[in-house]
Amino acid sequence: MRVRTKVRNLCIRALTESLDVNTMVHIIRRMFQNYDINERTGFPESIPIPSQNAARQIVEDCVGAGRFLEFVGLLIEVDRNGVMGRAYRVRGLSNVIEEVVEMGYLFDPERRVFVENTVQQRTKNWGLLREGDEYLFTFLRMDIVGNSNLVRTYAGDAIARTYSDLRSIVQRVVESRNGRIWSWEGDGGVCAFHGAGASNPAMLCAMEILHEIYLYNLLDCTLMEPVMMRLAVHNGRCEYHEVFEDIKSDALRKLADIESRFTDSNSVTISKTAHSTLDAPVAAYLRGFQPDSRNSLYRYSLGFSR
Amino acid sequence: MEIHVFSSNKKCDSWFSALDRARKYSVEFHPQGDIRAWTRKNGNGSFAYIDIQGMTEREVRTLLRYLSSAKSGSGSRTRPLLYGVIDPGGSIVDTAEIFHGGAIDYIGKAVAKGGIAPKRIERVARYAENVLELRETVLDQRTKQERRGRPPATVGGIALRAPTALLDGQKVPPPDTTGYRYSGSDWSSIEPETEYTFWIAYVNFNAPHEMAGRQSSQHTEHLVSLFQTAMMRYMEPAGGKIWMWRELEGLLLFPFDGRRNEPLLAIYRFMLNQNLVNAEELDQAVPISFHFAVDIGNTTYRQSGQTGTIISDSVNFIFHLGKKVVPERDLTVTGNVFHLLPERMLPLARAAGKFEGRHLYEIAVPSPA
């Protein structure tokens, strides 16, 4: 990620004018546990390090490690909650935030991180995740039921149009809740939602996709039969890689298993671990079931009451 | 009549030259590979001739399969594509097979050499009309049979719990439109103090029994405000406005131009997404349900907030209907609305009797199973 000189300088000034060197070191060690300011700046321990040198070194190290946004998030945290019970006001922080917003990011106060401003840009890693690092994700996987049969029955153009419509539905719904499509292979794909509270948006997306497919079948589908999907939700830690095929993850394997083995047509299945993190108003619509002695799952589907 | 010929063979022009000379026909030539793109945008009543010379057997099979399912026209006016096959190389062994797939003409080597005469096209056109008429009669009879005896087991991919006999749209009395004063497809030409025909929807926000007496009026007001915001995200794109609101109920107004049914679809989508609205926007562990009554009727238009003295039969009727008749979680429409239901939604409609002299229909909305 490219960080402009202007915003770096604003950040250095904010640090210099607000915190002493010891506090700066204390803060930066929340990100880099063994951070040694003397080693980084080259100043021997016997000589006090000028604030500006320490601030510049810290900012450059954060930029170099691709964690500048995380550091600004940390400064916001310090400004709001202080450090070890003592209040600190980080002067000029609003100028730094303005510049970061101009770079195309917004601060998410709930998760306390900067996320992409999706009006300006939308990348697979939310402009935040680093290649090879491990994060907690909630995944949503979907598959069009009876794909081979549909392809055999209908003209290629009709199928291509229908599948493209379905992908548009998925994309609109998923991106409206800050999820990302990580993989799409014509008849289905995998979407990712990042962070600890991500099971809720993932499950809500799955529910809405099911609703939208019902409406699509009623109003727009040009095939002679309704199209149906199987959707599954599961969460777990996994390494982030830009290329989806490079991601090796037990969570994704289990997700595929839940989708293909335990999910009925036109329904969503969610794993127990993902279900346990759902808010009560979302979980209220799911029904538990036990397909075998090792799996305990929950299901969402639509039906007519009459 | 427009005839579109898809061929990469230079001789093809001469085969159709007689038609070009006859003023009745306009012949347009396209590259062979453009047929798929063309079928997507062509109108009703055009003929397409496709030259299969130079194609492999597999390509021919794929093309014929495509043509047999291709449509011409757009929206509800689509009909099967009218096409003929040009086969100067005689590569099709069983020519009858292409007619079984829906073709209306076959031009073999001998016919091509002699050129295509206008009389042949007249014959082909008559044949096509007969085939289409026959097909429509068969489909119509099949549809009627299904409606009478075998209603569909699923709608939109969701199984109907107890399929009821489908309503015969022909027997539902058509709306009396003599008094209609169409308000247009948007609000641009609607003037205050003038009477128009609108989509009028009554909505009731059903506070759960658990909430009654427990919540402060401030909390209820906040909840209503959240509900209205959520509802308008659905209604505004369809031209909807909150026109009147009192405590937990209100009236929505949408312009009506005699054709558009977006307001009904917006209400249906909102009803379908009740659980999402509850979970995501109202944050209610005890779900709040809502019900709608929808009619098309006349009223004098005034800005929201200045409606206290409006006297309108339609407004009175919809309030009475919504308050007294429509059960919680239901969507009920009048006969004026029934005729604007998309065809695939008809199996969802069930006659719900009469109220104040008007026929009512309940529209089933699926909910979490």
Side-chain angles (χ1 to χ4, degrees), chain B residues 140-201:
Chain B
D140 200 31
Q141 279 177 354
R142 197 182 298 163
T143 314
K144 276 184 182 165
Q145 268 173 8
E146 278 176 0
R147 286 184 182 184
R148 277 194 213 112
R150 287 189 298 121
T154 66
V155 176
I158 299 177
L160 287 170
R161 186 175 244 194
T164 48
L166 286 169
L167 289 165
D168 186 348
Q170 306 286 332
K171 287 185 184 161
V172 173
D176 178 10
T177 58
T178 47
Y180 277 12
R181 302 163 72 97
Y182 296 116
S183 44
S185 56
D186 57 35
W187 289 90
S188 59
S189 55
I190 295 172
E191 300 285 341
E193 301 301 335
T194 312
E195 185 178 302
Y196 296 101
T197 307
F198 289 101
W199 281 89
I200 307 177

Side-chain angles (χ1 to χ4, degrees), chain A residues 136-165:
Chain A
L136 176 65
F137 295 102
T138 302
F139 296 110
L140 164 61
R141 183 186 159 100
M142 63 219 68
D143 192 38
I144 295 172
V145 177
N147 168 54
S148 315
N149 205 23
L150 291 173
V151 170
R152 270 198 302 273
T153 311
Y154 296 98
D157 274 25
I159 289 292
R161 202 167 42 238
T162 305
Y163 285 17
S164 158
D165 290 345

